Amino acid sequence: MSLRINSEAPNFTAKTTEGMIDFHNWIGDSWAILFSHPKDFTPVCTTELGYMAGLKPEFDKRNTKIIGLSVDPVENHSKWAHDIEETQGHAVNFPMIGDTELKVAMAYDMLPEGAGTTSDGRTAADNATVRSVFVIGPDKKVKAMLTYPMTTGRNFDEVLRLLDSCQLTARHTVATPVNWRHGEDVIIPPAVSNEQAAAKYPNGWKTLKPYLRVVAQPK
């Protein structure tokens, strides 16, 4: 199954470090960030998991649940968590999925169907493509996707910025410009006529080009 933006996020049941979950039920009415790792006890991922644990309060403020995935067993995740806390200064405070049969990795198009049905004997290099981030809305649709190589640590501050944009544009008919941060001006899309914009933004906007109109971020 090839995933695209606005595809329904594949549902699954899986064992996690916090017990069995049904993914869609676990999301509930929240947003969710699913981020994956090719193997436990890998150095780049160790730094990522620690940083994400430190950021969790920011995701909580945004009604967003975070969940990690690795193809290794949950028992290994628990052992890895000790290393993460020791080296990164943050204890893992979100569930980690044990995807030992590769079902979630394949459902999310991170491994090919021919990858097999077990994590046994697989190296991190075998799972190099299991390095993605999925932003999922309360409607269980994929809102954004990011994929990184094994050698490059992910920028989770950017994931938070991306989430802010996805949540804002889900509430309001606006778009966010390059490097936008919460509270900065936004763009009125071309699909919104000047008459419609006048009703929404009585204080006006700045027209840089007929197709590029900038307005203060709506509340």
Side-chain angles (χ1 to χ4, degrees), residues 156-172:
F156 286 111
D157 292 327
E158 166 61 11
V159 173
L160 197 64
R161 189 193 77 88
L162 174 61
L163 174 66
D164 282 340
S165 176
C166 289
Q167 291 187 334
L168 178 69
T169 56
R171 295 193 306 269
H172 302 282

Side-chain angles (χ1 to χ4, degrees), residues 48-152:
E48 292 176 335
L49 286 160
Y51 193 83
M52 196 63 153
L55 271 185
K56 187 175 181 294
E58 291 300 320
F59 288 99
D60 291 341
K61 290 176 189 175
R62 292 159 172 82
N63 186 35
T64 300
K65 297 178 179 180
I66 56 179
I67 189 165
L69 176 147
S70 172
V71 302
D72 283 340
V74 164
E75 293 74 20
N76 284 11
H77 296 354
S78 299
K79 296 174 184 175
W80 189 18
H82 294 299
D83 290 357
I84 293 164
E85 182 175 10
E86 179 184 348
T87 61
Q88 306 304 308
H90 292 288
V92 176
N93 49 11
F94 48 82
M96 284 282 292
I97 299 163
D99 191 25
T100 55
E101 296 180 352
L102 313 181
K103 290 180 178 179
V104 181
M106 287 191 284
Y108 278 78
D109 201 26
M110 294 183 285
L111 284 175
E113 291 294 330
T117 58
T118 179
S119 61
D120 287 348
R122 294 180 66 88
T123 68
D126 294 327
N127 307 325
T129 51
V130 188
R131 286 273 296 153
S132 294
V133 179
F134 299 90
V135 180
I136 301 166
D139 59 358
K140 316 305 183 288
K141 299 289 181 67
V142 174
K143 305 302 181 182
M145 299 180 288
L146 300 168
T147 300
Y148 284 64
M150 285 176 58
T151 51
T152 302

Side-chain angles (χ1 to χ4, degrees), residues 3-88:
L3 280 186
R4 301 287 183 268
I5 290 175
N6 291 326
S7 295
E8 180 169 302
N11 195 26
F12 57 85
T13 57
K15 186 178 180 181
T16 80
T17 51
E18 297 183 6
M20 290 293 296
I21 64 163
D22 174 285
F23 188 51
H24 282 190
N25 287 342
W26 178 81
I27 294 172
D29 295 326
S30 302
W31 289 68
I33 304 291
L34 169 65
F35 65 112
S36 61
H37 307 85
K39 197 166 182 63
D40 291 359
F41 305 103
T42 48
V44 174
C45 297
T46 298
T47 65
E48 292 176 335
L49 286 160
Y51 193 83
M52 196 63 153
L55 271 185
K56 187 175 181 294
E58 291 300 320
F59 288 99
D60 291 341
K61 290 176 189 175
R62 292 159 172 82
N63 186 35
T64 300
K65 297 178 179 180
I66 56 179
I67 189 165
L69 176 147
S70 172
V71 302
D72 283 340
V74 164
E75 293 74 20
N76 284 11
H77 296 354
S78 299
K79 296 174 184 175
W80 189 18
H82 294 299
D83 290 357
I84 293 164
E85 182 175 10
E86 179 184 348
T87 61
Q88 306 304 308

Side-chain angles (χ1 to χ4, degrees), residues 192-204:
V192 177
S193 69
N194 283 337
E195 292 74 19
Q196 292 170 323
K200 289 176 177 289
Y201 309 110
N203 293 328

